[in-house]
């Protein structure tokens, strides 16, 4: 059983294969957080709590003259407001009487089999043969009658615990939620932790960063209306000396695509509190009596095996428990060519067929028609929202175009940006009130487009109808779903002035409803997410799409960092990676080696390539197909850190049974007459014997992992190597 309630100690222990998580219904029924880390079985971990009279830390009234019990120093499972805990709160609620107070005490708990679900938000699910148990703890405030339901699911084998929260207004007046965090964890010895996050910018997403804890609140978050390029809803807390292979690491991955916040607070007593959830900026959510609010899920994983151990937990879990698309595991994804960097918006049906014909010689299976095919769309100033074919460009009509591509033996894909509208569009002219715009003010423009008010049901229904109609009109195999601006002018004409603080969140709920409908109506279509590259690359998006465009930056050397950072949490099989013209001095072979650390494809004008170049591409496409199971289903290892000075970047894919592996190296720098360098493999069977690239010699896994492979330095800069290791005994 993954959840143990001990009647005597009143502890509840969540037990995975290698980790324990414990809480306790403690003093005065406060729910205390006692432990998260390596297994401790059923030990009551409350012995760690030392109680002192801490000056200036308040005591609950019921403690009477007992001054040693203060919520300011006690480890909390859900930190409250105005109860003497001055650290960051999990909830801020304005009660019906105008007071800001929440005094939640544990009133009940329930343990059941299976995974909880949320009605309004995406969640991970229990896969076939998973043992999953769920705990529900209800906290209640006896004055306001606001209940907080804490949800936990324990995935025993996967070493994963998920958390989510529901707020129920059981009182008889409306309340207003101003902050609600899905997770709260207090650690006793917090000063020795580091925080790892994935900050970035357009073209440089998820550039992994690590910082020591100091005595303040470290915040990671987005207020751009989407999870953003600038931060990612994923953080790691780790030992200060944790490395790729050793050390304790805790991961927190939020299943949410809108504004989010993670706060890590090192307090006055060196205790560390981590909270994560929806960002409170411009968030005021009214709950009428009996209404329920759901906060997004956080997927937590713990390992003692460093960052690689943690990545493997997330990669395995997200490959099996996050996205239901058949393309995640069962059906091989095609090698694609995308029209964007080939033609931008300057194409017609004839040009697309020419690209497809040339790409056919390159071993490409799928042509994707990117931005520019609809409405009046010759540049990015107009047309968004008019999801019908531009007859001047696609003169033969969509159906005929797709037929021509299919006749070549290729599949067809299409681009959408459903959440957006151009002022110069029929949609905007017909429904200006559908665009987010604050009454009486001009909207902020970004790429000259406005965001639709996705919180509106009529907007959602329009998009569902329009996008589904296009997808049903022709034999469409693939969809790229884009969003190319951050949100501003947060306003909905459907909501009264006092409820505008709900719009950010309602936008995301509307988006999920639209995506859910379109994807479920078309289960055979391969969906790829995109947001000006990888601007909304988060776990919730991967619940809907099996893959996501990593970045608009296709430069292969920059991509080394992009893939490195992304891989801390998101599996390689989700990473959209293409070969393009970017990187003038980088050989095409190296571009291919880099793009094979992902879903692999092309983003260039195939008609400009010579027959010889097309033949090279064909070899690469075939190679990718050969290595596909290894890359998509194997274990991924970061062998070097591209953010550190060094002359090469290396990574490795190892099959689950360790019988084969692909080790890739890119030479990023060459020093004159420099030392010989070696790359040490990982994840092999030490006494297994491996043949490299079908050569004559056999090398033991131990030799390859300890001495490593020498990298030939008499090569040109940006050369690359792929070593295919096959175990023979
Ligand atoms: C975004 C995407 C690109 C391309 C363009 C089209 O920038 O990231 O891949 O689809 O939009 O406008």
């Amino acid at each position: 059983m993954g959840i143990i309630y001990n009647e005597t100690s009143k502890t509840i222990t969540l037990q995975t294969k290698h980790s324990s998580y414990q809480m306790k219904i403690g003093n005065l029924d406060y729910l205390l957080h006692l432990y998260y880390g390596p297994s401790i079985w059923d030990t009551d971990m409350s012995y760690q709590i030392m109680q002192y009279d801490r000056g200036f830390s308040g005591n609950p009234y019921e403690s009477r003259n007992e001054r040693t019990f203060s919520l300011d120093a006690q480890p909390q499972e859900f930190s409250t407001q105005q109860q003497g805990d001055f650290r960051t709160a999990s909830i801020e609620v304005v009660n019906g009487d105008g007071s800001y107070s929440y005094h939640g005490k544990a009133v009940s708990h329930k343990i059941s089999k299976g995974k909880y679900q949320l009605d309004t938000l995406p969640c991970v699910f229990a896969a076939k043969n998973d043992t999953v148990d769920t705990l529900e703890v209800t906290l209640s405030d006896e004055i306001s009658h606001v209940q907080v339901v804490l949800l936990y699911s324990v995935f025993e084998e996967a070493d994963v615990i998920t958390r989510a929260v529901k707020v129920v207004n059981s009182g008889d007046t409306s309340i207003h939620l101003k902050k609600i965090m899905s997770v709260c964890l207090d650690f006793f010895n917090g000063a020795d932790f580091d925080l790892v996050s994935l900050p970035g910018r357009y073209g440089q997403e998820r550039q992994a960063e690590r910082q020591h804890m100091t005595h303040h609140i470290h915040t990671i978050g987005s207020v751009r209306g989407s999870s953003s390029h600038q931060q990612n809803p994923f953080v790691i807390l780790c030992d200060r000396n944790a490395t790729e292979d050793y050390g304790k690491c805790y991961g927190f991955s939020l299943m949410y695509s809108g504004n989010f916040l993670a706060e890590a607070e090192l307090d006055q007593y060196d205790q560390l509190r981590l909270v994560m959830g929806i960002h409170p900026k411009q968030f005021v959510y009214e709950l009428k009596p009996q209404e329920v609010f759901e906060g997004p899920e956080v997927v937590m994983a713990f390992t003692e095996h460093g960052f690689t151990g943690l990545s493997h937990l997330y990669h395995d879990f997200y490959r099996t428990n996050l996205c239901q698309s058949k393309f995640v595991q069962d059906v091989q994804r095609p090698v694609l060519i995308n029209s964007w960097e080939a033609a931008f918006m300057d194409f017609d049906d004839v040009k697309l067929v020419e690209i497809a014909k040339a790409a056919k010689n390159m071993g490409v299976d799928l042509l994707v028609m990117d931005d520019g095919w609809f409405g009046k769309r010759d540049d990015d100033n107009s047309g968004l929202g008019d999801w019908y074919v531009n007859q001047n460009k696609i003169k033969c009509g969509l159906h005929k175009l797709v037929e021509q591509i299919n006749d070549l033996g290729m599949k067809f894909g299409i681009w959408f940006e459903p959440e957006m509208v151009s002022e110069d569009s029929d949609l905007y002219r017909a429904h200006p009130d559908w665009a987010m715009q604050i009454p009486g003010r001009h909207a902020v423009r970004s790429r000259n487009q406005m965001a639709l008010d996705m919180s509106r049901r009529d907007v959602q229904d329009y998009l569902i109808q329009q996008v589904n109609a296009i997808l049903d009109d022709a034999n469409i195999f693939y969809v790229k779903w884009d969003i190319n601006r951050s949100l501003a002018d947060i306003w909905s004409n459907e909501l009264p002035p006092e409820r505008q603080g709900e719009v950010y969140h309602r936008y995301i709920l509307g988006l999920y409803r639209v995506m859910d409908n379109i994807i479920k109506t078309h289960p055979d279509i391969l969906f790829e997410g995109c947001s000006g590259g990888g601007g909304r690359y988060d776990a919730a998006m991967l619940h809907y799409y099996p893959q996501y465009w990593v970045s608009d930056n296709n430069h292969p050397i920059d991509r080394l960092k992009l893939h490195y950072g992304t891989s801390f949490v998101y599996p390689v099989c989700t990473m959209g990676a293409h070969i393009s013209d970017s990187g003038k001095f980088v050989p095409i072979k190296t571009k291919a080696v880099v793009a094979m650390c992902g879903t692999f494809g092309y983003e260039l004008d195939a008609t400009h390539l010579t027959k010889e170049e097309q033949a090279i591409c064909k070899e690469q496409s075939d190679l990718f197909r050969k290595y596909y199971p290894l890359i998509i289903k194997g274990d991924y290892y970061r062998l070097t850190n591209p953010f550190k000075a060094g002359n090469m970047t290396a990574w490795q894919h190892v099959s689950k049974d360790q019988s084969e592996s692909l080790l890739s190296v890119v030479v990023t720098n060459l020093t004159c007459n420099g030392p010989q360098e070696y790359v040490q493999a990982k994840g092999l069977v030490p006494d297994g014997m491996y043949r490299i690239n079908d050569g004559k010699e056999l090398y033991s896994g131990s030799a390859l992992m300890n001495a490593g492979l020498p990298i030939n330095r008499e090569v040109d800069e940006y050369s690359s190597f792929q070593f295919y290791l096959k175990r023979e005994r």
Side-chain angles (χ1 to χ4, degrees), residues 396-409:
C396 63
L398 185 64
H399 196 84
K400 271 261 145 31
L401 172 64
V402 178
E403 259 178 21
Q404 288 182 69
I405 305 297
N406 288 166
D407 287 348
L408 295 171

Side-chain angles (χ1 to χ4, degrees), residues 90-106:
S90 304
I91 187 167
E92 277 177 31
V93 56
V94 188
N95 298 312
D97 60 3
S99 63
Y100 288 71
S101 186
Y102 186 68
H103 200 166
K105 295 207 175 175

